[in-house]
């Protein structure tokens, strides 16, 4: 699939559409365009780089389904708020709730 980068992406998107595979587009790096493909149990991130190369990263589910309680893990692990900002946000919520 080594040809003009734009043509390369268009041909890939056309093939996805022909096979009825859903995708979305994203742009996270200056030199790349990402196609995100979600199929049952998997997510594929395919990046087409300006130099004509392609990088593919696959995320495969282990089949375990978690409940709502798992959502707290998302915020515990990836929240950028420190304790001070968290306290401030909580105070703002309480103030707004009283209005």
């Amino acid at each position: 699939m080594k040809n003009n980068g734009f043509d390369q992406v268009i041909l890939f998107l056309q093939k996805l559409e022909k096979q009825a595979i859903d995708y979305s587009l994203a742009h996270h790096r200056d030199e790349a365009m990402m196609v995100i493909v979600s199929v049952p149990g998997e997510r594929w991130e395919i990046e087409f780089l300006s130099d004509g190369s392609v990088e593919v990263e696959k995320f495969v589910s282990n089949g375990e389904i978690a409940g709502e309680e798992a959502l707290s893990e998302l915020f515990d692990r990836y929240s950028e708020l420190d304790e001070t900002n968290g306290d401030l946000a909580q105070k703002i919520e309480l103030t707004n709730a009283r209005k």
Side-chain angles (χ1 to χ4, degrees):
M1 228 186 215
K2 290 270 188 188
N3 55 353
N4 175 310
F6 183 73
D7 291 341
Q8 190 176 13
V9 173
I10 295 300
L11 289 172
F12 181 70
L13 296 179
Q14 289 172 339
K15 188 169 186 176
L16 288 173
E17 290 171 0
K18 184 176 182 181
Q19 297 295 320
I21 299 173
D22 290 328
Y23 66 88
S24 61
L25 302 176
H27 181 251
H28 300 291
R29 299 193 289 176
D30 289 341
E31 71 282 0
M33 178 177 175
M34 181 184 290
V35 179
I36 303 167
V37 177
S38 296
V39 293
E42 299 179 14
R43 187 180 81 233
W44 295 53
E45 293 181 355
I46 303 107
E47 286 193 293
F48 292 85
L49 284 78
S50 59
D51 66 3
S53 63
V54 177
E55 296 179 356
V56 179
E57 189 168 6
K58 297 187 288 183
F59 301 89
V60 181
S61 170
N62 63 7
E64 293 180 21
I65 305 294
E68 184 177 352
E69 69 280 355
L71 296 177
S72 62
E73 180 184 351
L74 172 68
F75 298 105
D76 291 344
R77 290 177 65 187
Y78 300 105
S79 177
E80 292 182 8
L81 293 176
D82 62 22
E83 288 298 317
T84 306
N85 288 340
D87 291 343
L88 179 60
Q90 191 174 27
K91 287 177 186 174
I92 292 170
E93 283 181 29
L94 291 173
T95 303
N96 289 337
R98 292 182 195 152
K99 290 182 182 179

